[in-house]
Each structure stands twice: as C-alpha cells, then as structure tokens.
Amino acid sequence: MKRSIEFAAGTRAGIYCRKSTSDEQRGRRADSGDPDLKSTAIQEGNARKLAEECGLTIQPDHVYKDEKISGATISRPGLDGMKAALGIVEGERQRRAPDPASRAFDVLIVRDQSRLIRNASHALQLLEQIVATGAEIVFYKTKQVIRKENFPELLVGVQGHIDSEHRKKASVDAREGLDERAKLGRNCGGVCFGYRNVKHWGKDSSGQPVHLYTDFEIDKAQARVVKQVFTMFVAGYGTRAIAKAANGDSRYRAESREFFGGLRPAKPMVGKRGSGSWAPSAVRDMLRNPRYVGELVYGRMKNERDQGGVKFRVKQSEKDAIIRTVREDLRIIPQPLWDAAQKRINAMAKAYLRHEAKDGALKYGSPETGRHSRYLLSGIFQCPECGASLIAHKMSMGAGRTRKLVAVYVCSANNRRGDTICKNNARVRQAELDARLMGYIERDVLTPERASAAFRKAVEDGKARLKRDPGLRKKLETEIAAKTRQKANLIALSEQSLDDPQAVATRINELGREIDRLNLELSGLPEAQYDEKKLEEKKAHMLERLKRFSEMVRDKRNIPLLRQLIRHAIAIYKLKLTPITENGRRTYDISGWARVSQAPIRRVSMASPRGFEPRLPP
C-alpha cells in the first residue's frame, strides 16, 4: 500500500481532537458535509487511519480530547495536557528543541487547524510553540504537514483569521435564530420549574426527522406547587420557612398541611444541578420569575470572551436587544396573587435599605462580597449526618428578664432546609467549641516534636515521589503556570462591569487556593542537591513559623486571621462534631486531621452545657 505521507519507521504520534457544541449540532444535520464534527471518536478514528497509512505508532497515553469546548478558548484540559507533554510552558521562550528521546511524541495528528485553535490572535503562536519542540503537525483532512523548517507563517495566520471569522459568524447566526424563537415565545434554552420542555419535529428535504424547535407546556403538578409557594409567601412566611415546609420539616407540619396538603412536593434535579430538596434561594428566584405570569424574557444577558477566549456573561446594555413576549397560555399565577407577592418583596427591600452606610460606602444593606466571617469555626466543621457545614446561629434561652440570645453552631442543612434533609438538630455553644479546639491546637498540634517528625516524613515522602515520577516537578510547574494565567485573565475580567461578579470572584479564589496547593506540593519536593545543612535551615525556619502560629492562637482578637491560620497554615480539615454518650453523659466527639503535623485529631470530649445536650440516635 502506498503511503500518502512518508515518515521514518517507528515514528511516534499523538492525537488531538476537539468538538464544540455548535460543531456537534452542525454535524448532526443530514446536509452536513463534515461527519467528523459529530464526535471526537470519529476524529480519533480518522487520525488512527492516517497513522496506519503512514506507518506511525500512536502513543496510547497521548490521545487528547476536548469535548464541547470552543476553539476560541486558549486554555483547555486536552490542549493543556498536550502542551505539557511537549514541554511547552507559557511565558517561557523555547530556546532550542528538546532531545527527541525525551519528547512524548514526534508527530501530532489533527483534523485541521480549526480543531487546535479558532482564535486569530493566538493561532500563529500556538502552532509555532508546537513545532519549536521539534514535533511535526499533520492535518489528516488536507494531508498537510507543518514542520519548523518550512513553517508557513502567512498561511497559518490567514487560516487563523478565517477560522475566527467563521466562529463569530456561526455565533451571530445562532443568536439571530434564537431571537426569532424568542419573538414567537418558544424555548431558547434551559428548564423552568412548573413547565415541561416539548420538542417539535419535522422532516428535512430527504425525509429524515429533524428537530424544529422546543416549546413550553405547563406541568400541572408542578404548577400547583408554584401557586402554593406564592400563596404561602403572601400569607407572610419567609423563603426559609417556605423551603422547610416544602421539605416536610417536622417543625412546620401545620404549614405543610395548610399550604401543601401535608405532602412533600418533589423538586426535580436537572443533570448535576440541584440537590433534590427545596432551598430558600430557589424559592426567592421563583417569586421573582415573570414567566409564571406568562411573560417570557430573553436577552437580558449576553456572552463575551476575554483575551484568553474564556466565555463570561454580562448584562445586556441595549434595552432594545431584550425581547419580551407575553403568552397567556403559560400563565400559572393569577395577576392579583403576583401583584401581592411583588408588593411584599418591594416593601421588604425598602425596609432592608435602612442599613445603608452613613458615608454612602455601602449601596445596599447586604454584606459586601468576600467579607470575612465574624465567627471562628463557621463553615469549618462538618455535620456527621449529612456532611453539610456547621454555621453560626443565635437562639433564645431563658424566660422573662433572663431571656437572652446565645451564639451556637448548627448544621446548615437542618437549619435552612429542615429535619427531613438532616436530623442533626444539635446546638453547640460557640464560645465553648472555639476555646476547646484552639486549646487543642496550641497544646497538641503546634508542638516542636510533632512538627519535626512531620518535617522528616515530608522529606522522605518527597524523595519517594520523585523516584516514582522524575518529571513531577516540571508537571507541577506547568500546572501552576497555567492556573496563574487563568487567574490573571479573570482578574482582568473582573475590572469590567459584570452582571455576576460573585461567580468570577469565587473562581478567582478557587484558582488561588489551587495555586497555593500546587505550590505547597512543589515546595515539598526535595531539591536535586539537598544536603543536611539545608535541611536544618528549613527545619529551623519551620519551627520559627510554628512559634508565630502559637502566638496568633493565643491572641484571639483577630478572627479572620485565625480562620486563615486554621484553613491554610495549620491546614486542619475534615473536622466533624459527633454527639456521643460517655460514662452516662452526653458529650461531643471532635475528629479531624492537622496537615501541619500530619497528626489525626483524637477524640476531644466536650461536656454540653445545660439545655444543649445533643439528641442522640435511638
């Protein structure tokens, strides 16, 4: 069999495949001339067919795929993995090609350039980075081979602009199609409680069935629940009380019988979204959704991309671009009930504004995003029953003049969603739990003996890991560089006017924690030349930090600093508070792990104050 492209015998090859959502939709059409777009499996099969024709050996560990990710996105799991295998590190210039023996593969097989990148400003850079490692790129669709020696800079640049414009045009076409659907009052994506999505089918020119559009249809059982939620809210109940009654909380049985007929309405899960139970936030959004009075709103948000190709959503600034359609056949809530609910929402909002800061620094009464908790262990302990976090709460104790508010820790699931979700209704005084845990940290965790033993073990573990995986240090450095780049892009994005800055801020914090974790893992790997003198210096530095930690623990005035100390510096995690009986007394068992000393937190018995005895299982 004659080979279409000639390579040396034994040449190793890797494969990269990518499919975006729009590619998949186009590939499914009967008139589509690109069956490769249907799935990455088809792309991989065609790439393997070319490898067989050319005598290439596919490396099993170097087949990279990105599913449902746009080519405009610069950082993708599969693409980043392929670049890491070739030793490409962002921000570092490739001075010379690496030794071919150390290279993961010699040839990269791809369908075409658009599978690798559809971002005009980054196309030339990416392909240059790949060929600079000494690897060759083969496009199996056109049988084109790109090498460092004959790199077609002009052709790659022009093709990058063509692919980028094609992506933008496809986006515009899709948006125009959705606009037409929105004007007709049809489903433009997503699901809504109270309605079913009904697909309407037709036939194309060849007689094959084709999906035309999706429409809404009222789900009578769910619509009845929506009316019950609105009725209960207008009757004066808050979102938390409504959620607990819907979840069948034993403390809200009367409300459950009055408004839900004593039944627990199911809250369906959509894919991975939702917990299957009612939450106050879900009730809040439901009370503000105009769809329940037959008004469909489309276009309040629009998609944008940052310089790295990461998609984010912002508010639509042009009011004319927002499409509102009224369909009375989709109305669930009568107008008087809707008006009463909105009147109460507006009244509550005006009352909440009384907390506005005098200097005008805070626009609304709610706390600013990212504010530190005032409570030491809120969100750090886990409930042993359901795994939810324990949160700070205040409850009344005493009667008459002796009645007062007492600060306690409670299970967030039990407190917010009711005892049908979690039966752990234990209440623990905050002052007692804080004092006991901090005393344990100072007495049993932050000790030089345990720290020294943990340091020796960490060095031994680091040497063992490097022996098993000599390239571990480079992998960690590459991953740190990639996540640092993502974080920088999101920080630049946060300076723009966003509709959901909380989501961006949350992702920035997550990336920061991941980078810290990777840096910690990297710092635990011993250096190539790691003599005893350096070990002693690092050990002395660690003991000095340990001394400062002990001083911070004794100074209990700075709660945010102590929370960071527990979470990051000492790294106490998986803390659980379990009710137990010991010598006939009801008490608590604290368990967890302190990473700074690699020591398990043994059981710490805590006698419960009167009135706070835990309710034990039968």
Side-chain angles (χ1 to χ4, degrees), residues 233-234 336-350:
F233 180 74
V234 171
L337 182 59
W338 171 264
D339 292 340
Q342 302 313 304
K343 182 178 179 180
R344 186 177 175 218
I345 290 172
N346 294 332
M348 292 169 62
K350 291 178 181 178

Side-chain angles (χ1 to χ4, degrees), residues 452-463:
S452 298
F455 184 78
R456 288 193 300 271
K457 188 176 186 305
V459 172
E460 293 171 1
D461 291 346
K463 289 180 178 179

Side-chain angles (χ1 to χ4, degrees), residues 170-462:
S171 177
V172 171
D173 292 344
R175 178 66 191 224
E176 290 177 352
L178 290 173
D179 286 349
E180 291 301 317
R181 291 184 188 178
K183 292 175 182 177
L184 295 173
R186 293 171 179 167
N187 190 336
C188 296
V191 295
C192 179
F193 187 84
Y195 301 93
R196 285 192 297 265
N197 289 346
V198 181
K199 291 186 176 182
H200 291 259
W201 297 84
K203 292 185 178 181
D204 59 15
S205 56
S206 62
Q208 297 295 319
V210 59
H211 176 225
L212 300 177
Y213 63 91
T214 301
D215 203 357
F216 295 107
E217 184 179 276
I218 293 178
D219 185 312
K220 293 183 179 179
Q222 293 184 3
R224 184 167 55 252
V225 176
V226 174
K227 289 181 181 178
Q228 292 165 341
V229 168
F230 272 81
T231 303
M232 190 171 179
F233 180 74
V234 171
Y237 292 91
T239 56
R240 184 174 297 185
I242 296 173
K244 289 183 177 181
N247 287 327
D249 190 312
S250 59
R251 293 162 291 185
Y252 288 84
R253 286 174 181 166
E255 289 80 2
S256 177
R257 287 193 296 268
E258 180 182 356
F259 295 101
F260 297 102
L263 302 176
R264 182 181 171 187
K267 188 172 187 301
M269 296 179 64
V270 181
K272 296 181 179 180
R273 295 179 57 190
S275 61
S277 61
W278 290 87
S281 57
V283 176
R284 178 189 179 279
D285 291 343
M286 180 180 290
L287 293 169
R288 291 163 171 79
N289 192 344
R291 187 173 300 179
Y292 295 123
V293 289
E295 182 181 352
L296 306 182
V297 183
Y298 173 76
R300 286 179 294 189
M301 309 290 293
K302 64 177 181 178
N303 294 327
E304 298 285 354
R305 292 186 183 275
D306 62 10
Q307 294 179 348
V310 178
K311 186 185 294 185
F312 61 95
R313 304 185 75 194
V314 297
K315 271 188 176 180
Q316 176 61 262
S317 57
E318 300 178 11
K319 293 185 178 181
D320 294 340
I322 300 176
I323 301 173
R324 299 178 184 273
T325 309
V326 176
R327 286 186 56 181
E328 283 296 327
D329 60 312
L330 296 180
R331 177 187 285 272
I332 293 177
I333 302 300
Q335 195 63 40
L337 182 59
W338 171 264
D339 292 340
Q342 302 313 304
K343 182 178 179 180
R344 186 177 175 218
I345 290 172
N346 294 332
M348 292 169 62
K350 291 178 181 178
Y352 198 52
L353 287 174
R354 68 179 183 272
H355 297 293
E356 186 174 355
K358 293 181 180 179
D359 58 0
L362 295 178
K363 186 176 180 181
Y364 301 108
S366 57
E368 59 184 355
T369 302
R371 180 176 174 179
H372 291 289
S373 174
R374 296 178 296 168
Y375 307 103
L376 181 62
L377 302 178
S378 180
I380 294 178
F381 270 92
Q382 290 180 344
C383 171
E385 293 286 335
C386 66
S389 298
L390 298 191
I391 59 172
H393 181 66
K394 289 187 178 181
M395 61 179 295
S396 298
M397 286 197 67
R401 294 183 178 180
T402 62
R403 190 175 183 85
K404 60 181 179 180
L405 287 176
V406 179
V408 295
Y409 290 114
V410 299
C411 170
S412 59
N414 176 273
N415 180 257
R416 291 173 176 169
R417 302 193 182 198
D419 58 8
T420 55
I421 307 303
C422 179
K423 297 187 180 299
N424 180 17
N425 63 350
R427 305 290 187 262
V428 187
R429 287 182 185 262
Q430 292 180 19
E432 181 182 358
L433 185 58
D434 293 351
R436 293 297 180 93
L437 182 64
M438 299 310 291
Y440 173 78
I441 291 173
E442 185 178 5
R443 183 181 66 252
D444 293 340
V445 177
L446 298 178
T447 62
E449 295 78 14
R450 279 196 170 176
S452 298
F455 184 78
R456 288 193 300 271
K457 188 176 186 305
V459 172
E460 293 171 1
D461 291 346

Side-chain angles (χ1 to χ4, degrees), residues 440 444-445 450 591-595 597-603:
Y440 173 78
D444 293 340
V445 177
R450 279 196 170 176
S591 61
W593 189 268
R595 189 186 299 161
S597 61
Q598 295 294 312
I601 297 177
R602 295 186 177 86
R603 195 173 73 195

